[in-house]
Structure formats: structure tokens, C-alpha cells
Amino acid sequence: MKTKLLIKKKFLFLLLMLIFINPVFSQWCGSKNIRTNIQKQPLTNQLQTKQQSNEILVVNIFFNILDSNYSSDVSEQECKDAVENINSYFNSSNIVFKFSGYRNRYNQSLTSINSDADFNNLRNINTNEDNLQVFLIDSFFGNSGGRAQFPGNYLALTKDYVDTFVLAHEIGHNLNLYHTHHGGPAEPDPDIPAEAIDGSNCATAGDLICDTPADPLLISGSGGNINSLTCTYTGGGGFNPDTENIMSYTSTECGDSFTNDQGNRMREALLTINDLQSIQEDKSILAEPIEISFERENYQRTYQGDCFEVSYMEVYNLEFQKGFNYSIEVTTNTIFGNNTTTYTFNSNEIPTLELNQDYSYESKITNYSDVSYNKSGSAGFVSYIDCPIYFPLNSHTTKPIQSTQARKIESGLYVAPIHDKEKKEIIEKPKILIED
């Protein structure tokens, strides 16, 4: 009996020593025992059926890039790629993320998170609760790489982890998942004990999930207990942890998957936790473009009296989210009739359409049943007369003059802003010299 107790004490001592000498690796997630006040709806029979079904649950995700100066080292495309990456991890749980935006937020003091208060104050930077808010920062106190509101609708991640499974790990906390080593000596919890090696108390201990084996704490790096080349556990002690589980502290080379029960717990969180309701959308939004840009091609203006004849080709560029298989049926409308073309894109392509005629389209994601979106729009050749206000730059008059007024515009130099056809924005500010 004393021998067994001595072995246990030695194992615990070695484990704590490993934690101490590998702080960067063993503590890269700061989401430990930080539970928020959970307001839940009851899991009714209807919700339980939805939780256990194959119906996809769609979550909007928005990226806030925090920079200490006026330049950014994370691009919008890198964030779009990150969404594609996390979707590959959550696919088995039928949870899908929709990229809903990216913004650089310059000259931010919170690019370095040095306290719990700093982390909590991140939410004041973007208070929109319609999206899961990701804040990409430079550094955390305690050498952490990420931290999430647990459960909740925002997280922070250091920028060097954006292309790893660590983003999916923090989202797992948002969706009410614990670490697989939770409750053990590396992460004690007064309310939740450590999971027994044989899993006999799995429903009420550790991460509260029964298809994740007991985990003493996976430690990567020099002196750790996981071989990052083979993703095998080398720590002994009778444990056989899942070295590929995203909610463990496995190496960035090995983290790859959630279990079925983890997926069910996350789906239950999305269906029942109030703070997670607003970040979800109907599945049809997946087939909606993530970006619509507008161009004026062959822009021309001709000076006619005091007005301008303006013409250009109106072109819309539609970009859809990468990572799915698409079938997009586009109908263009011309004076010669309608023309319908079907475009297909595979998951490795960035689906884009260039539309320069009046159009309608229906986009379908063929990975899922009944995920479609349809829209129509106006494009094509535009020609109109714009009679702008002349603002004096160097002339005898100092007052702006409306060109359509029945009064002579005095000689001098003016700027005459030209508006688009609907007078919603200025598209050019030509300087006009009026001579006697």
C-alpha cells in the first residue's frame, strides 16, 4: 500500500515538474476554470432531436486584428483560410462557421493582454453580438496562446496561432468544452474531480465526457510526454490519452479532431445557451457571398456646358466562402433575352463570379442538402448627365455655384465633384478651369 502511494506521489511530482519546466507548451491556453454565468434553455424533445440530427448549425465568425501601430501583419485572406481550417475540424459535429467580416483595429493598447481585466475589456472593442468575435493579439500574460469566454461569444488568440488547431480549441471552450485534463492536478476544479484512468466516473469528472480517455496532461516540446512525429503518448502511468483531441494540450502537429460526445455537447450549447443564440444563422447564409465588390470599367466623362456626360460599365464581383462544393446557376438579362449558365467550384477553389449585366443567381452548396441562396441585381452599361456644384478654388467668387442655376459661372479654377447615377457617392473630383 505504501509502495503504491509512493509511486503515485512520484508520478505527481514528475508531472508538476514537467508543467514547471515547460510553461510555454503546457499553458498555451488561458481558458482554465473561467466559467461564466450560464443562462440555458431546457433541452426539450424538439431541441434534443435537433442536437442529435445531421442538420448543420451555422455560426457567424468575425475577426478583429489588434495592432499597436498603423500596420497589420494578418491579412483578410489568412482569416478566411482560418475559417476553412476550423470548418475541417468541426465538420464531423455538423457545426459550420461562416466568415462574416474582418477589420484591422490600429493603435490598440489591448494588443497585449496583461490581466483578466484586459481580456474582459476586449468585448468593448466590438460589442456586436451577432458574431463570434475573434480578437487576434500579439501576446498574453503567462505565455498563453489563447483564451475564450467559457462558454460565450468571444475569444482572443495570439496571431502566430491563427493557422493552427488552437483557434478550434478556443472555440471549443466558447461552446462549453473543458480541457481533456480538466479536474486533474494540472487543472484542479473544486466542483469537478479528476477522471479515473478506467473512466468509471467519466460523466461527472474530468471534461464530463465519456468518449475522451482520462488525460494526465499532454505536454509537447522538449521533456514532454508526446511524440509530435508519431502523435503517441510516452508518459506511462497507465494513461492512454487521445493525443489527437483538439481539447487536449497536444502538439500543434497532432491536434486534429473532436469526439462524437464533444460534438453533441457543443451542439447542445448552441441550442440551449442564451449567449450563443445570436451568433447563429439559418443554414442558407452559407451559400451567400462573403464579399460583393463593385467596379466601374471604361469610365468616361465628357464636359458639356456646365454639366458632364458620364458613362461606364458597371461590374459586380461576388466571392463565396472557400471550402465547399458549389453549383451556382446565373441568369443574365439583356435586350436579346435571358441567358443561363451553371458554374461549379470545388472545395479547393475560391468561388468568384464577375457580373456585368442585370442578373439573378441561385447558389447551392452541394456538401449539404437544402443549402441554397438566391439574389438578383443590376449591372451593365450606365450613362447619365451630372450637373455638379462648382466649388471655387481660385476665382473672384467664394460661394459654391450650382451648375444648373441660370447664372454665369465666373472665370477661375473650380472643383466639380461628380456623383454616381443615384447621387449616393462622389466618384471623381475634377478641377475645371472656367475662362471668359
Side-chain angles (χ1 to χ4, degrees), residues 54 87-95 256-260 263-264 266-267 368:
N54 292 325
N87 275 335
S88 68
Y89 297 131
F90 285 86
N91 181 60
S92 61
S93 304
N94 286 320
I95 298 170
D256 185 61
S257 59
F258 294 104
T259 66
N260 288 336
N264 287 335
M266 288 189 289
R267 290 177 65 84
Y368 306 104

Side-chain angles (χ1 to χ4, degrees), residues 297-352:
E297 295 184 353
N298 301 319
Y299 174 82
Q300 296 182 22
R301 61 170 170 82
T302 304
Y303 187 49
Q304 294 184 347
D306 297 333
C307 298
F308 294 90
E309 181 180 356
V310 179
S311 65
Y312 52 83
M313 182 62 72
E314 192 175 50
V315 179
Y316 282 87
N317 296 295
L318 280 58
E319 178 185 336
F320 297 81
Q321 183 164 312
K322 185 183 175 186
F324 307 113
N325 297 314
Y326 287 86
S327 174
I328 307 177
E329 186 177 88
V330 179
T331 300
T332 54
N333 310 312
T334 70
I335 58 175
F336 303 107
N338 298 337
N339 181 49
T340 300
T341 305
T342 300
Y343 300 88
T344 58
F345 301 92
N346 64 43
S347 60
N348 295 321
E349 298 176 287
I350 299 176
T352 56

Side-chain angles (χ1 to χ4, degrees), residues 291-299 311-319 352-359 377-382 421 425:
E291 185 173 336
I292 300 177
S293 58
F294 164 71
E295 296 179 26
R296 297 180 180 90
E297 295 184 353
N298 301 319
Y299 174 82
S311 65
Y312 52 83
M313 182 62 72
E314 192 175 50
V315 179
Y316 282 87
N317 296 295
L318 280 58
E319 178 185 336
T352 56
L353 296 175
E354 183 178 282
L355 303 170
N356 59 10
Q357 296 170 316
D358 289 348
Y359 62 89
S378 176
F381 182 73
V382 175
K421 61 180 179 178
E425 64 176 10

Side-chain angles (χ1 to χ4, degrees), residues 16-29:
L16 293 175
M17 284 297 293
L18 285 170
I19 296 170
F20 177 75
I21 64 176
N22 289 281
V24 173
F25 298 102
S26 66
Q27 299 181 26
W28 50 254
C29 175

Side-chain angles (χ1 to χ4, degrees), residues 145-171:
R147 178 172 170 178
Q149 186 187 32
F150 180 37
N153 51 25
Y154 75 99
L155 66 91
L157 190 76
T158 56
K159 296 169 184 174
D160 52 346
Y161 279 118
V162 70
D163 61 347
T164 71
F165 83 89
V166 179
L167 175 56
H169 175 106
E170 297 305 334
I171 293 174

Side-chain angles (χ1 to χ4, degrees), residues 49 63 91 133 165 177 200 229 259-260 372 407:
T49 300
F63 290 81
N91 181 60
Q133 298 290 342
F165 83 89
L177 292 185
S200 57
L229 295 178
T259 66
N260 288 336
S372 63
R407 57 178 290 190

